[in-house]
């Protein structure tokens, strides 16, 4: 087995993904492992024993996950209000409403019993002040688990925190969370804190604020102070990795140290030792993010292999490092930084030689371009999956900007070291750094504004990604594939067609209605062939959380939607309309038309919407009484507004909207009250398959007479955590008595309705996302088997011996 670690790594990754979504009990995993160990002892065929060994690794991934999740002791106290003590660590962010810190729970008081703990957490304090590292806070707090995503494709905050071994959020009540002193810090902790403090002070005092924040992100990994516009620019240029601690920076630092030590004639063995110690200390100061661990271990192996005069196998080393890190923290497989880091490095190793031979064989500077191009090819689908765009000029940006910043980083490290000896000389040199960084920012702005080409794309499915990498695999093995027999080429062709046909089946639908989980609010996306419509856009009235910016726009981008043919606003309450403000402000979303009840003109939200719509040349269509909007031949929207001229209750100014497809009818009631329901059924005799209930399931809506009249099969309730008692038990009982299926966004999350021949099917995200994930896992496994089989076919005869080409 030439590369044993990659053969172990692949089943481990598949096992982590499989057991994460299936949540199979550890007892079944142990039983399965026991049976496999017995089986491997009884099987003599080497290939069969290898397969059983891979299955053992696959199941061990489940045990690793179980160990990771069961390590938390705080789960017994979640969703309770208790008296707790926490130690404050680093500040994450602060605003006028609250401050958020990384922290550690040390004590919980439950039923007058003191329970000692030592577990990472996120601390929310309703105060706007800076707390120093080690401050102990005590008070009544709500212990909650981090929120998972409830809409497909949206950032999973809970899983993100889990990768950092954080399984709880401690939110102190108003007036609670008082400081009771500071914890005693060890000597190493004091050194780490003092070093960070010194670096922060030095950078703040010698650089402009914007430049200091950039360098603090690069050197210390503190990106909270970097301006949002800067992050967006760097990300759209494809160089966001330079704003945070990454393997690139470790490589630069390591290379610089080795060069410096060689310059003063230090023996290479001692240079390696000194460099590894420096990198280890640096990693401790910045709390060892995965990128530092990966880069440090890989570079360490490479340097040691040179010391012992062994030619390194880069793929084997990379696989071994990934294996170590995933055994330590299996959830890192879901971390985008971890994925990009390893895929980028693997792509450079595998694709660079082939790109050099194929494209840049006769180009002088090809060897500089090939690695960057290889990295872009490798990480392209992952970037699209997470960020929904690709940057066509990222190659140019990397070639121009990375060398500048790399050289500057080396110079800054030198100046920081010099500052310990002579602060005055260091401050003079930092003036040069400040000017270079300012010029660098101008270059970034110039490239971003005039040269950058960004293409926004929908999130790729797992099948899309598999097809892409299958094509890359063929490109890498093109020479070998040309020489194999026809029947083996046929296997490759059938494999590719199989994946493509599965993808076509996976994405085929004529229309779909998606009820987006926007919390206590309403928003529905309707897709009809190539047209897109929104009914309400959600919103919130508390804190600084923007539903439009944080949920609606990312959701649309995930679906590849940057143009909306029409937005229907049922009425101008914040929880139905506020998200539209963010849509109209977004430079990447185009809206053609807005439809609303003409009687809402006195509303302050209407005035803002009208102003922004005029600014973006969006057509506004006030609706009076009844209107129809025909879409193609088989689809139609009907819009109904109250005949009463003056409604004291804003909810009865709601515009009722119905959507009719070729076979099905769906009714959207906005916040309609019983009075408006009565008015509507007098003018309408249609039956509806699905109804989105009025006013989030309140008992002021959904009267018995109304439900009997429209006779739906399915009721959708768009609702979140609230103090109003929505949905009301009386309404739920009324629906159940009529055998109407109930779906709630607060329980099922995102709810999708898709056409199915002459009927429809309802998909609830929290019920079905495991099914979707398993569907993807099945195809990952099938894809792996296809690649393995196809790789066996790459056999060429040379000197009368069969040779297997290993990629």
């Amino acid at each position: 087995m030439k590369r044993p670690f990659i053969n172990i790594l692949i089943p481990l990754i598949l096992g982590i993904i499989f057991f994460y979504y299936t949540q199979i009990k550890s007892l079944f995993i142990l039983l399965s492992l026991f049976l496999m160990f017995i089986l491997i002892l009884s099987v003599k065929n080497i290939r069969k024993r290898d397969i059983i060994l891979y299955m053992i690794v696959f199941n061990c991934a489940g045990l690793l996950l179980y160990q990771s999740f069961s390590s938390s002791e705080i789960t017994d106290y979640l969703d309770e209000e208790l008296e707790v003590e926490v130690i404050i660590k680093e500040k994450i962010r602060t605003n006028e409403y609250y401050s958020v810190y990384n922290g550690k729970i040390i004590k919980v008081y439950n039923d007058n019993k003191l329970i000692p703990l030592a577990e990472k957490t996120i601390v929310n304090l309703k105060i706007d002040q800076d707390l120093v590292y080690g401050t102990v806070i005590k008070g009544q707090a709500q212990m909650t688990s981090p929120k998972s995503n409830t809409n497909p494709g949206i950032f999973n905050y809970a899983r993100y925190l889990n990768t950092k071994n954080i399984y709880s959020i401690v939110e102190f009540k108003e007036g609670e969370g008082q400081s009771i002193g500071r914890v005693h810090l060890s000597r190493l902790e004091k050194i780490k804190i003092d070093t960070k403090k010194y670096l922060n002070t030095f950078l703040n005092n010698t650089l402009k604020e914007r430049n200091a924040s950039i360098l603090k992100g690069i050197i210390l990994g503190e990106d909270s102070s970097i301006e949002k516009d800067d992050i967006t620019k760097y990300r759209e240029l494809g160089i966001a990795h330079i704003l945070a601690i990454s393997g690139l920076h470790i490589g630069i630092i390591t290379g610089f140290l080795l060069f410096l030590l060689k310059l003063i004639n230090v023996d290479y063995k001692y240079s390696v030792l000194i460099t590894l110690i420096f990198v280890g200390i640096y990693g401790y100061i910045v709390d060892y993010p995965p990128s530092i661990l990966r880069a440090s271990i890989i570079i360490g192996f490479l340097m040691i292999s040179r010391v012992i005069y062994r030619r390194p196998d880069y793929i084997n080393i990379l696989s071994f490092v990934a294996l170590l890190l995933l055994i330590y923290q299996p959830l890192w497989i879901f971390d985008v930084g971890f994925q990009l880091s390893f895929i980028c490095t693997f792509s450079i190793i595998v694709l660079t030689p082939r790109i050099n031979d194929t494209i840049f064989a006769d180009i002088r500077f090809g060897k500089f371009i090939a690695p960057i191009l290889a990295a872009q090819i490798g990480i392209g689908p992952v970037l699209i999956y997470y960020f929904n765009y690709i940057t066509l000029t990222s190659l140019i940006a990397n070639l121009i900007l990375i060398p500048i910043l790399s050289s500057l980083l080396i110079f800054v490290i030198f100046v920081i070291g010099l500052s310990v000896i002579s602060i005055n000389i260091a401050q003079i040199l930092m003036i040069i750094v400040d000017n270079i960084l300012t010029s660098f920012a101008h270059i970034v702005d110039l490239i971003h504004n005039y040269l950058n080409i960004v293409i926004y794309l929908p999130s790729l499915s797992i099948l899309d990604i598999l097809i892409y990498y299958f094509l890359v695999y063929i490109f890498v093995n093109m020479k070998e594939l040309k020489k194999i027999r026809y029947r083996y080429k046929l296997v490759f062709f059938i494999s590719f067609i199989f994946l493509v046909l599965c993808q076509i089946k996976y994405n085929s639908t004529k229309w779909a209605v998606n009820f987006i989980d926007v919390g206590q609010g309403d928003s529905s996306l309707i897709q009809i062939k190539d047209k897109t419509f929104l009914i309400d856009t959600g919103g919130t009235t508390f804190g600084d959380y923007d539903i439009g910016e944080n949920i609606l726009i990312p959701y649309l981008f995930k679906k590849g939607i940057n143009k909306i043919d029409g937005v229907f606003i049922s009425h101008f309450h914040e929880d139905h309309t506020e998200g539209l403000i963010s849509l109209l402000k977004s430079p990447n979303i185009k809206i053609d038309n807005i439809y609303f009840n003409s009687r809402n003109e006195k509303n302050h939200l209407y005035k803002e919407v009208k102003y922004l719509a005029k600014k973006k040349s969006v057509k506004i269509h006030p609706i009076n009484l009844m209107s129809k909007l025909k879409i193609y031949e088989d689809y139609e929207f009907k819009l109904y507004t109250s005949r009463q001229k003056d409604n004291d209750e804003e909810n009865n100014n709601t515009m009722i909207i119905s959507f009719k497809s070729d076979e099905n009818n769906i009714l959207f009631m906005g916040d309609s009250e019983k009075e408006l329901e009565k008015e509507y059924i007098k003018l309408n005799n249609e039956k509806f398959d699905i109804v989105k209930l009025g006013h989030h399931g309140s008992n002021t809506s959904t009267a018995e007479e109304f439900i009997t009249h429209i006779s739906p099969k399915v009721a959708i309730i768009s609702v979140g955590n609230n103090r109003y008692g929505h949905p009301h038990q009386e309404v739920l009982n009324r629906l159940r008595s009529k055998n109407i299926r109930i779906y709630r966004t607060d329980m099922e999350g995102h709810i999708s309705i898709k056409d199915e021949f002459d009927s429809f099917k309802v998909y609830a995200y929290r019920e079905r996302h495991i099914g979707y994930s398993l569907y993807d896992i099945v195809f990952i496994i099938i894809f792996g088997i296809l690649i393995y089989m196809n790789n066996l076919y790459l056999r060429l005869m040379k000197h009368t011996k069969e040779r297997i080409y290993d990629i």
Side-chain angles (χ1 to χ4, degrees):
M1 198 179 287
K2 184 181 176 184
R3 288 170 175 160
F5 295 118
I6 195 168
N7 292 317
I8 298 171
L9 177 64
I10 291 171
L12 183 76
I13 290 172
L14 293 176
I16 292 169
I17 297 169
F18 177 82
F19 288 109
Y20 177 82
Y21 286 108
T22 57
Q23 299 291 308
I24 292 174
K25 301 294 183 183
S26 59
L27 182 63
F28 293 104
I29 300 172
L30 288 169
L31 180 61
S32 176
L33 280 171
F34 176 73
L35 293 173
M36 286 178 191
F37 277 119
I38 293 175
L39 192 61
I40 201 170
L41 294 173
S42 61
V43 173
K44 294 183 179 180
N45 183 282
I46 295 176
R47 183 161 291 178
K48 289 181 180 178
R49 291 185 72 174
D50 285 345
I51 292 171
I52 297 169
L53 179 63
Y54 298 151
M55 290 303 299
I56 289 172
V57 174
F58 183 89
N59 280 273
C60 284
L63 291 180
L64 289 171
L65 266 180
Y66 178 79
Q67 174 61 31
S68 178
F69 282 115
S70 61
S71 63
S72 173
E73 299 179 65
I74 204 67
T75 51
D76 294 335
Y77 310 105
L78 293 177
D79 301 319
E80 292 185 33
E81 189 176 296
L82 301 166
E83 188 174 22
V84 297
E85 283 185 30
V86 297
I87 301 173
I88 295 297
K89 302 288 185 177
E90 292 85 11
K91 182 172 71 174
I92 300 174
R93 63 181 179 275
T94 185
N95 58 37
E96 59 182 304
Y97 301 101
Y98 53 82
S99 299
V100 183
Y101 292 87
N102 280 316
K104 183 165 75 173
I105 302 172
I106 53 174
K107 292 177 184 176
V108 171
Y109 299 88
N110 187 29
D111 296 330
N112 297 320
K113 292 181 181 178
L114 171 62
I115 302 162
L117 294 170
E119 189 169 326
K120 291 181 179 180
T121 190
I122 297 294
V123 181
N124 287 346
L125 286 164
K126 294 185 178 179
I127 54 173
D128 180 12
Q129 66 181 60
D130 286 332
L131 298 174
V132 297
Y133 187 102
T135 302
V136 179
I137 300 293
K138 182 178 180 180
Q140 287 291 122
Q142 184 74 28
M143 309 271 286
T144 59
S145 55
K147 289 185 179 180
S148 296
N149 60 318
T150 56
N151 294 294
I154 302 298
F155 176 64
N156 192 328
Y157 185 57
R159 190 164 66 193
Y160 167 75
L161 291 182
N162 292 165
T163 64
K164 299 177 180 292
N165 292 320
I166 298 173
Y167 298 92
S168 65
I169 295 175
V170 176
E171 183 166 344
F172 285 96
K173 297 173 65 179
E174 191 81 46
E176 294 284 346
Q178 302 300 317
S179 172
I180 59 171
R182 289 187 67 188
V183 72
H184 176 72
L185 302 176
S186 68
R187 185 176 295 276
L188 284 176
E189 284 180 312
K190 286 180 180 177
I191 292 171
K192 177 169 74 171
I193 293 165
D194 290 342
T195 303
K196 278 189 171 182
K197 186 177 179 181
Y198 176 80
L199 291 173
N200 267 298
T201 303
F202 178 73
L203 294 174
N204 286 333
N205 291 341
T206 56
L207 297 172
K208 296 183 180 116
E209 184 178 354
R210 184 185 182 187
N211 295 336
S213 66
I214 295 289
L215 274 186
K216 281 190 281 185
I218 294 171
I219 297 173
L220 297 174
E222 296 179 0
D223 57 359
S224 59
S225 60
I226 300 177
E227 293 179 11
K228 190 175 179 180
D229 287 345
D230 282 334
I231 294 174
T232 301
K233 286 175 187 175
Y234 281 71
R235 187 175 289 161
E236 289 183 352
L237 285 170
I239 55 170
H241 54 283
I242 67 177
L243 289 181
I245 300 171
S246 68
L248 172 68
H249 302 136
I250 294 298
I252 293 168
I253 293 169
T254 302
F256 172 65
L257 284 174
L258 289 174
F259 171 77
L260 202 61
L261 293 167
K262 184 180 178 181
L263 209 62
I264 57 176
N265 293 320
V266 177
D267 185 84
Y268 184 74
K269 293 178 182 178
Y270 296 113
S271 297
V272 168
L273 181 62
I274 293 168
T275 302
L276 288 176
I277 291 172
F278 180 86
V279 170
I281 293 170
Y282 176 63
Y284 172 74
I285 291 170
V286 296
D287 294 318
Y288 272 116
S291 57
I292 295 289
L293 276 174
R294 175 195 64 82
S296 302
I297 297 172
I298 290 174
I299 290 171
F301 272 111
L302 293 176
M303 290 191 296
I304 291 169
S305 67
R306 184 177 172 185
V307 170
I308 61 176
Y309 303 105
R310 292 288 300 272
R311 184 180 177 182
D313 184 324
Y314 297 107
I315 293 178
N316 212 33
I317 290 175
L318 192 68
S319 302
F320 177 66
V321 173
L323 194 63
L324 282 180
L325 295 181
L326 290 177
I327 290 171
Y328 171 69
Q329 175 50 278
L331 287 175
W332 275 345
I333 194 62
F334 298 108
D335 181 75
V336 60
F338 183 92
Q339 293 172 16
L340 289 172
S341 177
F342 277 95
I343 291 172
C344 181
T345 309
F346 183 83
S347 301
I348 291 170
I349 294 168
V350 174
L351 295 178
T352 300
R354 188 55 55 116
I355 291 171
N356 269 326
D357 294 342
T358 309
I359 303 173
F360 299 122
D362 300 320
I363 299 176
R364 186 175 179 181
F365 298 103
K367 64 180 181 179
F368 300 109
I369 302 173
I372 299 174
L373 184 57
Q376 297 300 316
I377 291 171
I379 64 175
V382 181
L383 291 174
I384 295 170
Y385 181 83
Y386 285 107
F387 304 114
N388 301 110
Y389 60 79
I390 55 172
T391 305
L392 298 183
T393 48
S394 62
L395 185 63
I396 298 170
N398 276 275
L399 281 171
I400 295 172
L401 299 174
I402 296 297
I404 297 173
L405 206 60
S406 299
S407 304
L408 187 64
L409 177 61
I410 293 170
F411 185 68
V412 170
I413 292 170
F414 170 76
V415 174
I416 289 172
L418 182 64
S419 69
V420 179
I421 303 169
S422 174
I423 189 67
N424 293 327
I425 296 175
Q427 287 176 339
I428 293 169
L429 293 176
M430 286 301 284
I431 294 172
I432 300 171
V433 173
D434 201 33
N435 289 325
I436 293 173
L437 278 172
T438 301
S439 300
F440 183 82
H442 290 320
I443 296 171
V444 169
D445 291 341
L446 183 69
I447 296 174
H448 183 267
N449 294 335
Y450 298 104
L451 299 177
N452 201 35
I453 302 172
V454 179
I455 299 176
Y456 290 90
L457 297 165
S459 284
L460 299 175
S461 69
I462 297 298
L463 279 172
D464 292 324
I465 295 172
L466 293 183
I467 291 169
Y468 176 88
Y469 284 124
F470 191 87
L471 293 173
V472 173
Y473 173 83
I474 290 173
F475 169 74
V476 171
N477 293 282
M478 185 64 70
K479 290 181 180 179
E480 291 82 358
L481 287 169
K482 287 178 181 178
K483 300 174 185 178
I484 65 174
R485 296 177 182 178
Y486 171 77
R487 65 174 180 268
Y488 298 149
K489 290 180 181 178
L490 187 62
V491 172
F492 275 80
F493 179 73
I494 292 171
S495 303
F496 180 73
I497 294 300
F498 169 76
L499 291 172
V500 171
L501 290 176
C502 290
Q503 175 64 342
I504 292 170
K505 175 67 173 70
Y506 191 68
N507 287 329
S508 59
T509 184
K510 291 186 293 183
W511 62 267
V513 177
N514 303 281
F515 296 89
I516 308 166
D517 182 10
V518 290
Q520 181 67 7
D522 270 23
S523 185
S524 305
L525 173 71
I526 301 176
Q527 294 172 282
I528 309 167
K529 297 181 181 179
D530 63 337
K531 292 190 178 294
T532 302
F533 298 87
L534 277 171
I535 296 179
D536 288 335
T537 57
T540 183
T541 57
F542 61 89
D544 63 342
Y545 190 80
D546 190 320
I547 289 290
E549 186 177 338
N550 292 286
I551 294 181
L552 191 55
I553 292 176
Y555 174 82
L556 293 173
F557 282 164
K558 288 293 173 188
K559 286 186 163 288
I561 297 170
N562 54 20
K563 177 180 176 295
I564 301 170
D565 295 277
V567 177
F568 301 97
I569 295 298
S570 63
H571 64 302
F572 282 86
H573 273 166
E574 284 86 349
D575 58 337
H576 291 253
T577 310
E578 212 169 46
L580 180 56
I581 305 297
S582 299
L583 289 179
L584 289 168
K585 288 180 178 179
S586 172
N588 302 314
I589 300 274
K590 183 178 185 300
I591 300 173
D592 286 344
N593 302 280
I594 298 175
Y595 304 86
F596 58 88
N597 186 340
S598 60
R599 296 196 185 106
N600 285 283
E601 293 186 1
K602 295 179 181 179
N603 189 289
H604 72 281
L605 276 173
Y606 163 77
K607 293 176 181 177
E608 188 170 1
V609 166
K610 186 176 180 182
Y611 169 76
L612 292 171
K614 185 177 180 181
K615 195 174 178 181
K616 288 191 74 172
S617 301
V618 180
K619 294 178 183 176
I620 293 178
H621 304 271
I623 302 300
N624 285 304
L625 302 181
M626 297 185 72
S627 297
K628 292 182 181 180
L629 180 63
K630 194 82 171 175
I631 310 295
Y632 300 115
E633 293 183 1
D634 300 322
Y635 307 94
E636 183 180 69
F637 288 100
K638 289 183 180 178
L639 315 174
Y640 170 82
T641 62
S642 174
R643 295 192 170 195
Q644 298 181 30
K645 292 184 179 179
D646 296 307
N647 275 316
D648 295 331
E649 175 54 60
E650 180 69 18
N651 287 342
N652 282 328
N653 278 326
T654 291
M655 179 169 65
I656 298 173
I657 303 158
S658 68
F659 167 63
K660 181 180 180 182
S661 70
D662 45 1
E663 297 290 341
N664 304 114
N665 284 355
I666 304 175
L667 186 62
F668 300 83
M669 294 300 294
D671 271 355
S672 305
E673 305 281 0
K674 291 178 181 177
E675 182 181 353
L676 187 56
E677 291 175 354
K678 287 180 182 179
E679 187 178 334
Y680 177 73
I681 61 178
K682 286 179 183 178
L683 300 172
N684 177 73
N685 292 317
E686 287 184 288
K687 304 300 180 185
F688 291 91
D689 302 288
I690 302 157
V691 59
K692 199 290 298 178
L693 295 189
H695 204 187
H696 320 290
S698 166
N699 62 350
T700 60
S701 302
T702 318
E704 179 90 26
E705 181 187 3
F706 170 73
I707 286 295
T708 302
H709 184 84
I710 65 171
S711 188
K713 299 172 186 174
V714 173
I716 308 292
I717 306 175
S718 185
V719 66
N721 293 328
N722 65 89
R723 55 188 174 83
Y724 310 110
H726 298 162
H728 200 277
Q729 193 60 46
E730 177 187 333
V731 172
L732 298 176
N733 292 339
R734 187 174 300 146
L735 296 171
R736 291 184 184 123
S737 69
K738 296 181 181 296
N739 296 317
I740 298 170
R741 282 185 291 157
I742 303 169
Y743 291 88
R744 298 166 47 171
T745 56
D746 63 333
M747 297 180 70
E748 282 90 10
H750 178 275
I751 299 162
S752 181
I753 299 168
K754 296 183 179 180
D755 74 295
E756 187 137 320
F757 301 107
D758 58 347
S759 185
F760 64 89
K761 192 168 184 178
V762 182
Y763 298 89
Y765 182 67
R766 279 183 172 157
E767 288 180 358
R768 300 292 184 178
H769 81 284
I770 290 176
Y772 291 145
S773 301
L774 288 177
Y775 183 86
D776 290 337
I777 291 168
V778 167
F779 280 100
I780 291 173
I781 294 170
I782 291 172
F783 179 71
I785 293 170
L786 288 173
I787 292 294
Y788 179 74
M789 288 173 59
N790 291 331
N791 202 37
L792 291 178
Y793 291 140
L794 300 180
R795 302 182 178 205
L796 304 175
M797 298 299 294
K798 187 176 182 181
H799 304 300
T800 69
K801 291 183 179 181
E802 189 178 58
R803 181 181 177 187
I804 299 177
Y805 282 75
D806 191 342
I807 66 166

